[in-house]
Amino acid sequence: MKCYKCQSEDKVKAGFTRGLQRYKCKNCGCFFSVESKSDVKSLEQRRLALEMYLEGMGFRAIGRVLNISYGTVYQWVKKWGESVSLPKSQEPLEIVELDEIHSYIQNKKNYCWSWIAVDRFGKRFVDFVCGKRNTATFIKLWNRLKDKDINGFCSDYWKSYSELIPEEKHCESKTETFTIESYNSRIRHYLARFKRKTKCYSKKQFMLENSLKLLFLKLNKQLDILS
């Protein structure tokens, strides 16, 4: 920091103002303060942390690489996840594939299932919900899909699908879920908490949902983090 009046670098600390370090110029006696707190991270660093998170690294690993607190990374991802949502599109869809993928909440004995819908020909995520592997959870996803212009659904033989999807629109076959199976493998690749035999898992369900929202927007090429 230089004195804004005489451009001298000869200065001494002179307390704080509004939480910012203040200096006194020894040359002209002018007081001035720094532009930002010393611990404020740049936008570029925050974006890099998000990119690393969506490339399969956990909070602690990102913190070690960037030399910042993993709790700071957690707060950034939490804030970004709460600020975004999957866009609601009313365009017609030919085939939507459905499947579930599991992760953990709090410990590895507590399974959490993510029910996912993927547009086969548009190659994008349509929607998802998290919860138990039961019909009550699928009802939440179905309520979001049933009013959309969708020609047909493909799923495996899990009973919840046949209980709600009209028979004339429903195809039950493991060979017809090839698109969503490939997307499930991408989820496991890009999010550390979904990897098999991982040491990473969510403490709260909302962080699992925030992580999926951010990843789905990224893979749909709709993610735009500005701050």
Side-chain angles (χ1 to χ4, degrees):
M1 286 289 296
K2 295 181 181 180
C3 173
Y4 71 91
K5 211 168 194 179
C6 67
Q7 301 301 308
S8 172
E9 294 185 0
D10 193 8
K11 61 187 182 295
V12 293
K13 291 183 178 179
F16 292 85
T17 176
R18 298 187 303 278
L20 304 177
Q21 178 66 57
R22 187 173 69 158
Y23 294 94
K24 180 181 178 181
C25 177
K26 295 176 70 174
N27 185 48
C28 67
C30 176
F31 288 91
F32 58 96
S33 60
V34 296
E35 295 179 355
S36 62
K37 295 182 181 179
S38 59
D39 61 346
V40 172
K41 303 301 185 291
S42 68
L43 177 58
E44 189 60 34
Q45 193 171 24
R46 284 180 281 162
R47 283 177 172 166
L48 178 60
L50 178 61
E51 290 176 7
M52 294 168 71
Y53 181 68
L54 296 179
E55 287 293 335
M57 294 182 67
F59 294 141
R60 294 176 186 272
I62 297 171
R64 289 192 295 269
V65 172
L66 298 182
N67 196 28
I68 57 178
S69 166
Y70 75 87
T72 299
V73 181
Y74 170 90
Q75 291 298 330
W76 290 343
V77 174
K78 179 175 179 288
K79 176 185 175 183
W80 286 323
E82 291 172 346
S83 68
V84 299
S85 59
L86 291 174
K88 295 183 178 358
S89 175
Q90 295 301 322
E91 63 183 58
L93 303 175
E94 184 64 26
I95 298 293
V96 167
E97 296 182 22
L98 303 166
D99 200 13
E100 327 88 55
I101 183 173
H102 79 272
S103 184
Y104 312 98
I105 302 294
Q106 295 185 338
N107 59 69
K108 290 195 171 182
K109 294 182 180 179
N110 187 19
Y111 276 54
C112 182
W113 292 87
S114 301
W115 298 68
I116 300 166
V118 169
D119 175 12
R120 174 184 291 181
F121 299 111
K123 303 297 182 184
R124 62 186 178 88
F125 290 96
V126 178
D127 215 329
F128 76 97
V129 296
C130 294
K132 296 183 178 180
R133 199 185 190 195
N134 56 22
T135 303
T137 305
F138 179 57
I139 287 174
K140 298 176 183 178
L141 179 60
W142 178 245
N143 287 338
R144 299 180 189 179
L145 298 174
K146 64 182 182 180
D147 294 328
K148 295 182 180 291
D149 186 4
I150 301 174
N151 190 47
F153 297 88
C154 294
S155 74
D156 56 21
Y157 295 97
W158 189 247
K159 60 181 181 179
S160 299
Y161 298 120
S162 57
E163 289 177 6
L164 293 172
I165 304 175
E167 186 177 349
E168 64 275 10
K169 281 191 169 187
H170 189 199
C171 173
E172 293 181 278
S173 173
K174 289 292 289 184
T175 61
E176 291 297 328
T177 57
F178 51 87
T179 305
I180 197 166
E181 291 291 353
S182 69
Y183 272 67
N184 285 346
S185 68
R186 297 178 77 183
I187 293 172
R188 295 200 183 279
H189 176 75
Y190 286 116
L191 288 179
R193 63 195 64 213
F194 279 93
K195 294 181 186 295
R196 299 186 188 277
K197 299 183 179 180
T198 183
K199 291 187 176 181
C200 301
Y201 52 86
S202 302
K203 298 292 179 65
K204 299 290 184 180
Q205 183 173 310
F206 72 83
M207 276 305 294
L208 189 68
E209 295 168 346
N210 287 344
S211 301
L212 286 173
K213 276 194 295 182
L214 290 167
L215 178 64
F216 291 173
L217 287 170
K218 173 191 174 181
L219 296 179
N220 286 352
K221 296 181 173 52
Q222 296 170 318
L223 182 61
D224 183 21
I225 296 296
L226 299 177
S227 61

